[in-house]
């Protein structure tokens, strides 16, 4: 039934808020802070259309008010979600949305339920010492990298809008304040389960698990043990997700259990960054002094996080404690194998292998080993492999100061390729769809953000966003954006996006 209203903002969003309705006690209803002069600096029209929104109407001053939190659209039930989490291995019993508000859920054009959330919309009861705000730089960073991940085909939250507030936020210095509108399959995290498990609120874990099964894993309904199934399915999606991060050299940087979404999407782009030269120990985050979340540790950490989820589900998995532990342990122990399967599938595509051979895992690691310790750019090496598959090896060999390790490997590789009946041009084309030319290079991201933040010049941001929306195309006019930073600018450091 269609409603009629004189309010032009009516039905801007066809909200249907199951989280607010079904999970009372899992959140605090809250209102966004009013900001001085909201101005829309970026609006994602394509995503708005996918969400079934009126992009033209929202790309406006009204949109700026809505996406700043100054105006609550009809049907929204703004709320701050409660959660806990392990941060760098230490349990924090109460986190929650300290600077974010869920406006509500919409059903997109593909029938998928999506959360619409404001990030940076002011303090909430969960803010602890924080100010509830976000600075423009980190907001644009999340926008850019999230959209780049989406274009790379990696499950991720999306960015719908970025608004400047016209107010400063105070970090070490005063910075322009901003609000990001984030779209997610949901914002339920491992930490959401942990909050209620830590309080011994078992009935709530059951409600949450049932809600998650309904929303994300409906195929589990009616199974003999849907909660064990839930653990398996979350584990499998995480395994696939981390494998896809590893394929593109993405380092999340803060894989705390509150930043691990149950849906299997990448969430919370704070100190994340992409690796330039291949080094498994790469860490960018200034606060990750122990390298807990280093590139090569990501699969292990995902498994560790899965074990924390498993602990919260034990009483649902089996009334007999020992049996529950045995069954959950089996699932958690299966993670490395699951991960390896996803990783190898993607690596076969990256290496241009079509059939499956026993030794392919060694092949894949062999290429990485050939790169290790030699400052070889990870992204370019894979991209140039497509040329090598056509017999043109100059570009890839030039990445190595001493190509002997590559030459040794590539001899075996070519022999392996010859056992797959695929035309070289077809193979090279497929490899270019698996190995991006463009990733968000750290120095380019910084250039784009500082132009926007310091000079109000959004041209570099827009250009970079455009390039990154087609990462698998050559885009010769932007060849410079495929390059790693000039020598001597390799010591990149990121800071938590607060
Ligand atoms: P993160 O590790 O960035 O995902 O954030 C961890 C927790 O800190 C979450 O509960 C956030 O809501 C909260 N938080 C981060 N920054 C702020 C801020 N500026 N004000 C209030 N809470 C914050
Ligand atoms: Mg977080």
């Amino acid at each position: 039934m269609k409603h009629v209203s004189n309010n032009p903002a009516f039905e801007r969003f066809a909200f249907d808020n199951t989280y607010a309705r079904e999970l009372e006690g899992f959140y605090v209803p809250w209102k966004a802070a009013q900001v001085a002069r909201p101005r829309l600096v970026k609006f994602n029209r394509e995503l708005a259309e996918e969400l079934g929104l009126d992009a033209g109407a929202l790309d406006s001053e009204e949109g700026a008010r809505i996406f700043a939190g100054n105006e609550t659209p009809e049907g929204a039930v703004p709320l701050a979600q409660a959660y806990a989490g392990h941060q760098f291995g230490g349990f924090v019993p109460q986190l929650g949305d300290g600077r974010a508000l869920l406006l509500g859920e919409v059903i997109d054009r593909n029938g998928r339920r999506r959360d619409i959330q404001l990030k940076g919309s002011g303090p909430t009861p969960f803010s602890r010492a924080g100010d509830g705000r976000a600075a423009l730089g980190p907001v644009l960073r999340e926008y850019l990298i999230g959209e780049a991940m989406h274009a790379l085909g990696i499950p991720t939250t999306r960015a719908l809008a970025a608004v400047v507030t016209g107010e400063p936020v105070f970090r070490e210095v005063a910075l322009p304040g901003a609000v990001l509108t984030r779209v997610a399959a949901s914002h339920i995290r491992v930490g959401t389960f942990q909050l209620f498990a830590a309080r011994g609120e078992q009935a709530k874990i059951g409600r949450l698990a049932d809600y998650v099964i309904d929303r994300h894993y409906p195929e589990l309904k009616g199974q003999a043990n849907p909660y064990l199934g839930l653990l398996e399915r979350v584990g499998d999606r995480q395994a696939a997700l981390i494998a896809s991060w590893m394929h593109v050299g993405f380092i999340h940087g803060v894989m705390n259990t509150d930043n691990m979404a149950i849906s299997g999407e990448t969430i919370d782009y704070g100190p994340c960054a992409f690796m330039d030269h291949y080094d498994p120990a790469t860490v960018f985050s200034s606060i990750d002094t122990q390298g807990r979340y280093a590139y090569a540790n990501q699969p292990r950490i995902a498994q560790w996080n899965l074990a924390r989820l498993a602990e919260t589900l034990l009483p649902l998995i089996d009334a007999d404690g020992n049996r529950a532990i045995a069954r959950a342990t089996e699932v958690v122990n299966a993670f490395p194998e699951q991960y390896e399967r996803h990783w190898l599938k993607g690596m076969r595509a990256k290496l241009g292998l079509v059939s499956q051979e026993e030794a392919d895992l060694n092949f894949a690691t062999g290429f990485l080993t050939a790169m290790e310790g030699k400052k070889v750019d990870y992204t370019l090496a894979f991209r140039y492999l497509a040329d090598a598959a056509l017999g043109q090896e100059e570009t890839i060999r030039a990445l190595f100061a001493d190509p002997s390790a590559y030459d040794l490997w590539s001899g075996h590789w070519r022999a392996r390729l010859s056992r797959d009946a695929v035309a070289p041009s077809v193979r090279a084309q497929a490899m270019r769809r698996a190995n991006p030319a463009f990733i968000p290079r750290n120095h380019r991201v910084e250039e784009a953000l500082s132009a926007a933040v310091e000079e109000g010049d959004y041209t570099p941001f827009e250009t970079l966003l455009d390039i990154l929306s087609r990462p698998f195309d050559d885009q010769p006019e932007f060849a410079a954006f495929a390059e790693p930073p000039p020598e001597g600018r390799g010591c990149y450091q990121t800071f938590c996006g607060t």
Side-chain angles (χ1 to χ4, degrees):
M1 196 173 73
K2 253 317 201 207
H3 298 269
V4 184
S5 167
N6 295 326
N7 179 353
F10 193 73
E11 284 203 344
R12 280 280 179 262
F13 300 82
F15 283 119
D16 175 37
N17 304 323
T18 60
Y19 194 94
R21 242 180 3 244
E22 296 170 28
L23 291 177
E24 208 176 307
F26 292 71
Y27 61 85
V28 179
W30 204 251
K31 286 266 178 290
Q34 295 288 306
V35 303
R37 286 180 306 283
R39 186 168 60 83
L40 201 50
V41 294
K42 185 65 194 162
F43 182 66
N44 192 338
R45 280 185 166 250
E46 179 215 297
L47 177 60
E49 271 149 28
E50 183 181 315
L51 295 174
L53 306 177
D54 182 343
L58 287 169
D59 194 354
S60 65
E61 280 179 22
E62 183 202 336
R65 290 194 299 276
I66 291 173
F67 297 126
N70 278 15
E71 185 172 314
T72 306
E74 190 78 36
V77 181
L79 58 86
Q81 294 182 323
Y83 53 86
H86 277 89
Q87 300 196 308
F88 289 90
F91 187 63
V92 184
Q94 177 81 72
L95 291 165
D97 288 336
R99 53 165 172 168
L101 287 179
L102 176 64
L103 286 186
E105 303 148 32
V106 298
I107 309 292
D108 72 14
R109 289 248 156 98
N110 305 309
R112 292 182 306 168
R113 181 175 296 277
R114 316 274 291 267
D115 273 8
I116 299 186
Q117 192 207 54
L118 302 182
K119 185 170 173 183
S121 49
T124 75
F126 304 123
S127 294
R128 298 175 295 158
D131 61 0
R133 308 287 179 164
L136 179 58
V139 163
L140 294 179
R141 202 158 192 287
E142 173 151 358
Y143 197 117
L144 196 59
I145 299 189
E147 290 304 292
M149 292 287 272
H150 172 71
L152 287 166
I154 298 174
T156 177
T157 61
R158 304 280 311 271
L160 179 62
V163 168
V164 289
T165 59
E167 294 175 4
V169 297
F170 300 96
R171 298 295 178 251
E172 257 134 47
V173 292
L175 297 166
V179 180
L180 177 76
T181 302
R182 178 158 82 174
V183 176
S186 84
H187 285 85
I188 299 168
R189 311 135 193 273
V190 170
T192 317
F193 284 85
Q194 288 182 288
L195 175 69
F196 300 102
R199 292 182 184 165
E201 296 190 51
Q202 207 39 60
K204 279 196 173 155
I205 300 284
R207 273 171 64 204
L208 182 61
D210 288 338
Y211 178 87
V212 166
I213 288 170
D214 249 5
R215 183 161 172 178
H216 296 298
Y217 303 99
E219 68 275 14
L220 295 174
K221 276 191 285 190
Q223 274 197 4
N225 196 333
Y227 306 110
L228 189 68
L230 175 62
L231 186 63
E232 276 165 2
R233 298 287 291 116
V234 172
D236 190 55
R237 283 210 201 161
Q238 282 298 319
L241 179 68
I242 309 302
S244 65
W245 290 358
M246 301 302 278
H247 291 144
V248 298
F250 175 78
I251 300 160
H252 183 282
V254 60
M255 289 175 69
N256 295 332
T257 56
D258 54 303
N259 292 336
M260 177 168 165
I262 293 295
S263 66
E265 285 181 343
T266 313
I267 189 170
D268 272 10
Y269 294 91
C272 66
F274 283 71
M275 175 166 73
D276 287 309
H277 68 262
Y278 176 71
D279 177 359
T282 305
V283 174
F284 290 114
S285 171
S286 62
I287 57 168
D288 191 5
T289 49
Q290 306 289 310
R292 178 180 170 89
Y293 300 137
Y295 175 72
N297 273 352
Q298 298 186 118
R300 266 194 294 281
I301 292 292
Q303 184 186 18
W304 192 88
N305 289 347
L306 189 68
R308 304 289 79 75
L309 175 66
E311 286 162 1
T312 73
L313 295 176
L314 289 176
L316 294 174
I317 288 173
D318 203 306
D320 177 308
N322 288 331
R323 238 178 9 231
I325 290 174
R327 304 193 73 180
T329 303
E330 210 179 304
V331 175
V332 174
N333 286 348
F335 184 88
E337 222 169 277
Q338 255 168 322
Y339 166 75
E340 192 179 274
R341 193 162 40 76
H342 288 292
W343 185 78
L344 185 56
K345 181 162 182 264
M347 285 308 272
R348 282 201 176 97
K350 288 175 82 67
L351 296 173
L353 309 182
V354 176
S355 62
Q356 300 182 11
E357 289 187 10
E358 197 70 35
D360 290 345
L361 186 71
N362 286 337
F363 252 114
T365 49
F367 186 52
L368 300 178
T369 308
M371 275 191 253
E372 199 168 339
K374 302 190 186 74
K375 303 251 171 190
V376 174
D377 188 78
Y378 178 83
T379 304
L380 289 183
F382 277 101
R383 184 72 179 178
Y384 291 163
L385 216 46
D387 301 325
L390 294 169
Q392 297 149 14
E393 292 203 284
E394 306 79 43
T395 48
I396 189 162
R397 291 185 82 244
L399 292 176
F400 293 80
D402 168 9
S404 55
Y406 166 76
D407 288 339
L408 190 63
W409 177 82
S410 76
H412 296 291
W413 177 57
R414 272 190 305 275
R416 170 68 182 85
L417 293 185
S418 69
R419 295 196 290 276
D420 282 346
V422 182
S425 63
V426 173
R427 165 178 285 131
Q429 196 49 36
M431 288 173 75
R432 290 200 182 95
R433 305 314 298 172
N435 295 306
F438 298 97
I439 54 161
R441 295 279 182 185
N442 302 316
H443 62 299
R444 295 291 179 184
V445 173
E446 290 311 312
E447 276 168 20
L449 299 195
S450 57
V453 173
E454 284 153 32
E455 289 142 49
D457 176 9
Y458 285 81
T459 318
F461 174 80
E462 295 284 354
T463 304
L464 190 55
L465 195 59
D466 264 0
I467 295 169
L468 294 173
S469 71
R470 295 187 293 132
F472 299 105
D473 295 353
D474 270 326
Q475 309 184 57
E477 68 278 31
F478 296 117
F481 286 79
E483 295 295 324
E487 202 76 55
R489 290 182 56 192
C491 299
Y492 187 68
Q493 219 183 28
T494 59
F495 301 91
C496 253
T498 50

